[in-house]
Amino acid sequence: MRDVTISKLILDSFYGKLRSCLELDVAVVGAGPSGLVASYELAKKGLKVAVFEERNVPGGGIWGGGMMFNEIVLEKEIEDFLRELGVRYSERDGHLIVDSVHFASALLYRATEKGVVVFNNVSVEDVAMRDGRVCGVVVNWGPTKRLGLHVDPITVKAECVVDGTGHPASVVTLLAKRGLLQMKTEFPMNAEEAEPFVVEHTGEVFPGLFVTGMAVCAVHGGPRMGPIFGGMVLSGVKVARMISERLKVKA
Ligand code: 48F
């Protein structure tokens, strides 16, 4: 029966993929712009990277643009990165404007082409720790969390973990709740200050745990910024460089 053949193909292929990702160089939590850029940059250096996204659709805040006007704006300094991705853009008032669906698709395509595995519908509900260091993520099906089901998760080992979960900074929050680190809260909208703030504060917040994108503002008390995405790209690039240096990967 052909339908059963199709089911077997899906199961075998998926479980092979999941099994091969149980031990990673880097686990990225959240498939928003910063997490996807970080994963793409890390995979370019030959690192084994998986992204865990609790929603059905990876891409985070990219798709919605600003108030569902599905265009995003980036700073001029991101031009080379857009060219590298092969993204079409226009330029006005010193900014670059990109169709958000085109940008999300390009980023996802380039990252997965470089070997990044994106698990959609998978939520990170905790981290694994050994000797005072984060050394993996604890994952469960996304709907489990939404529906409040009592289902135990499984563990994925990773040399480094990246919190790219955006405004909630949900991975860092897990440690803050246990008193393992101090966390601030996001400040009101201010794009001029938010962009450099995010990039400057991108980095390791606890041994083995790095933060990128809007999660940086939640952790360090920076302003929010809305649909301007240059800081997300630069933050993703920066966190990837820091982790590559940590793992001593040659450029
Ligand atoms: O929010 P999101 O796009 O994060 P980002 O990369 O980019 C922020 C911008 O979109 C925008 C902005 C600046 O331009 O203000 O908001 O910082 O993507 C975060 C992703 O993480 C997922 C969530 O569903 C979203 O797709 N996520 C959040 N918590 C978890 C998670 C979790 N515990 N496990 C897995 N995924």
Side-chain angles (χ1 to χ4, degrees):
M1 196 177 161
R2 194 163 175 225
D3 308 74
V4 175
T5 305
I6 294 167
S7 307
K8 283 180 183 165
L9 292 173
I10 288 174
L11 291 188
D12 289 350
S13 182
F14 181 81
Y15 284 106
K17 186 165 73 176
L18 180 59
R19 203 180 159 81
S20 78
C21 286
L22 291 178
E23 288 172 303
L24 299 166
D25 291 318
V26 188
V28 177
V29 189
S34 61
L36 287 175
V37 169
S39 68
Y40 167 67
E41 293 289 325
L42 289 160
K44 268 184 5 191
K45 293 178 191 298
L47 290 168
K48 188 171 179 185
V49 187
V51 181
F52 299 96
E53 167 54 54
E54 69 183 8
R55 292 187 204 160
N56 193 22
V57 184
I62 305 174
W63 304 103
M67 210 184 117
M68 291 191 193
F69 301 136
N70 67 346
E71 299 283 332
I72 57 167
V73 174
L74 301 111
E75 292 76 357
K76 188 90 173 76
E77 60 188 305
I78 310 301
E79 195 162 7
D80 285 346
F81 184 77
L82 294 183
R83 287 214 177 114
E84 181 182 325
L85 292 185
V87 165
R88 283 187 314 278
Y89 56 89
S90 59
E91 195 177 336
R92 216 173 108 189
D93 298 334
H95 288 83
L96 310 175
I97 308 135
V98 183
D99 179 287
S100 64
V101 174
H102 181 52
F103 183 62
S105 315
L107 204 45
L108 278 162
Y109 177 71
R110 292 293 177 203
T112 50
E113 184 196 35
K114 287 287 171 211
V116 173
V117 180
V118 179
F119 290 99
N120 55 333
N121 293 312
V122 175
S123 175
V124 168
E125 61 173 52
D126 210 341
V127 291
M129 269 179 73
R130 294 287 184 281
D131 305 321
R133 192 177 190 286
V134 169
C135 62
V137 287
V138 175
V139 300
N140 216 329
W141 298 117
T144 316
K145 179 173 152 187
R146 277 198 298 280
L147 300 173
L149 304 178
H150 187 168
V151 178
D152 279 327
I154 60 170
T155 303
V156 172
K157 178 177 181 283
E159 297 298 322
C160 294
V161 172
V162 178
D163 185 340
T165 62
H167 301 279
S170 45
V171 183
V172 179
T173 302
L174 290 164
L175 298 191
K177 271 191 201 155
R178 290 155 169 151
L180 291 170
L181 55 77
Q182 293 277 311
M183 196 177 147
K184 295 188 178 158
T185 190
E186 198 180 77
F187 274 52
M189 193 83 106
N190 182 339
E192 287 92 340
E193 285 181 15
E195 291 265 311
F197 185 96
V198 164
V199 182
E200 188 191 331
H201 291 84
T202 293
E204 194 172 22
V205 287
F206 190 82
L209 176 62
F210 293 73
V211 66
T212 186
M214 281 317 292
V216 171
C217 288
V219 174
H220 293 287
R224 60 182 304 197
M225 68 180 90
I228 174 124
F229 281 72
M232 301 300 104
V233 173
L234 296 176
S235 172
V237 170
K238 182 178 172 186
V239 84
R241 184 172 31 85
M242 293 175 90
I243 291 174
S244 308
E245 284 167 9
R246 171 67 53 82
L247 300 180
K248 303 208 178 348
V249 178
K250 294 195 180 77

